[in-house]
Amino acid sequence: MRSCTVNKLVIGGDAPPRIMGVLNVSPESFYHDSYIPTNEIHRKAVEMIEQGADMLDVGARSTAPNAQAISGTEEGNRIDAALKELDGTGFTISVDTMNPWVLDVCLKHEVHAVNDIAGFASDAYARRVAEAGLPAFLMATDYTPGDAVGLEETKALLATIVKRCETAGVDNYVLDPGVGIWTPQRSYDDNWELCRHFDEFLAFDRPLLGAISRKSFIGDLVKREPEDRLPGSLAVTVFLLQKGASVIRTHDVKETFDTIKVCQRMGKQV
């Protein structure tokens, strides 16, 4: 597997599984307890790093189904305020945005990667990432985030993303199969299928991101609200690690760190 390097942090290859902690500055988030006010950003970031996060993913706009829409200006203002709190920390930071203008705002700060759930569907966005020399986490998307339905469509769109990266001149990236309910066409069963066959995405020879923290397909199975989905999230995490995930994106850094540590001690190939 080819590796990806983010601020000297090696992902994939022979590197151990990495933890991406979610720093959510969007009050519209599906998981309300994860929202962090600006004046708490620095404290929460330090806490996550001390708990074992390798990098922090800062996002200011909810992409959950039926989430309240906000303007690019509002997203930019929120993420600008959050990143100001992190400047000078030396923490490895990715920015969760698919808006080229918002990305320009982020580039005024110390950021090290982009997390684009639109998978470079925007040529302008891809060009900005290439010009900035940033690594990218890229989700399987055609036009609308998460619009792939089923395993085969997801594979096809990841192949499309590889071509988009070649066109843009970006060669330092991680692929995200996009587990989650992103569009009305996708079912909970579709998400379980992506998880069961996660190792098939290794065919692209790139590190894989497992982003399943407290998502609704888990809630549907265990009949729990986001606040009570941690056990289910950790169970899926173990499975994805065994299937080849190189990065786990999570709201729950401490618990995920312990889960990975136990899996490694048990001799799992993670």
Side-chain angles (χ1 to χ4, degrees):
M1 178 198 300
R2 300 180 64 176
S3 62
C4 173
T5 302
V6 180
N7 190 30
K8 299 182 180 179
L9 177 73
V10 178
I11 298 170
D14 295 327
R18 304 300 189 180
I19 295 175
M20 175 189 279
V22 178
L23 276 181
N24 169 32
V25 295
S26 169
E28 300 85 15
S29 173
F30 80 97
Y31 176 30
H32 301 298
D33 288 356
S34 70
Y35 168 63
I36 307 165
T38 302
N39 63 350
E40 291 290 319
I41 286 288
H42 185 272
R43 179 198 62 78
K44 185 64 175 180
V46 170
E47 178 184 276
M48 284 186 165
I49 295 296
E50 290 178 345
Q51 290 177 342
D54 297 290
M55 64 187 304
L56 305 172
D57 192 38
V58 183
R61 173 181 179 269
S62 175
T63 53
N66 303 315
Q68 177 184 338
I70 64 170
S71 67
T73 300
E74 177 65 18
E75 181 187 358
N77 289 340
R78 289 177 180 179
I79 206 162
D80 183 47
L83 292 173
K84 283 178 181 176
E85 297 295 314
L86 299 174
D87 284 341
T89 61
F91 299 156
T92 299
I93 297 170
S94 69
V95 287
D96 181 1
T97 184
M98 54 184 172
N99 184 311
W101 180 84
V102 174
L103 178 58
D104 286 341
V105 172
C106 297
L107 292 175
K108 299 175 183 177
H109 300 278
E110 298 172 17
V111 300
H112 308 102
V114 299
N115 182 9
D116 179 18
I117 63 169
F120 279 175
S122 164
D123 292 338
Y125 188 100
R127 285 195 301 270
R128 282 169 169 79
V129 173
E131 290 165 359
L134 290 177
F137 295 82
L138 300 167
M139 194 174 87
T141 292
D142 191 4
Y143 298 104
T144 302
D147 52 8
V149 178
L151 180 63
E152 295 308 316
E153 282 192 21
T154 299
K155 289 179 181 178
L157 286 183
L158 288 177
T160 295
I161 288 174
V162 170
K163 292 178 182 177
R164 289 172 181 168
C165 288
E166 292 173 353
T167 300
V170 175
D171 193 44
N172 199 20
Y173 59 91
V174 174
L175 295 176
D176 174 7
V179 179
I181 297 294
W182 300 93
T183 66
Q185 290 75 32
R186 186 180 290 196
S187 69
Y188 295 126
D189 285 343
D190 290 325
N191 288 288
W192 290 112
E193 181 183 36
L194 295 185
C195 291
R196 282 194 298 271
H197 296 275
F198 203 81
D199 54 336
E200 296 185 26
F201 305 123
L202 293 171
F204 294 100
D205 196 35
R206 296 284 179 170
L208 300 177
L209 173 67
I212 51 81
S213 184
R214 297 180 182 261
K215 287 188 173 179
S216 60
F217 76 105
I218 297 171
D220 173 71
L221 178 67
V222 299
K223 307 305 178 189
R224 306 284 187 189
E225 293 302 311
E227 292 74 16
D228 296 315
R229 294 174 188 167
L230 176 57
S233 297
L234 294 177
V236 178
T237 293
V238 171
F239 189 83
L240 295 187
L241 290 169
Q242 293 173 331
K243 290 285 186 175
S246 293
V247 190
I248 299 297
R249 183 180 185 273
T250 181
H251 301 92
D252 308 287
V253 171
K254 178 176 66 174
E255 293 85 354
T256 301
F257 179 86
D258 287 353
T259 297
I260 292 174
K261 189 173 183 178
V262 169
C263 285
Q264 291 174 315
R265 186 65 182 87
M266 290 294 291
K268 302 293 185 183
Q269 297 299 313
V270 296

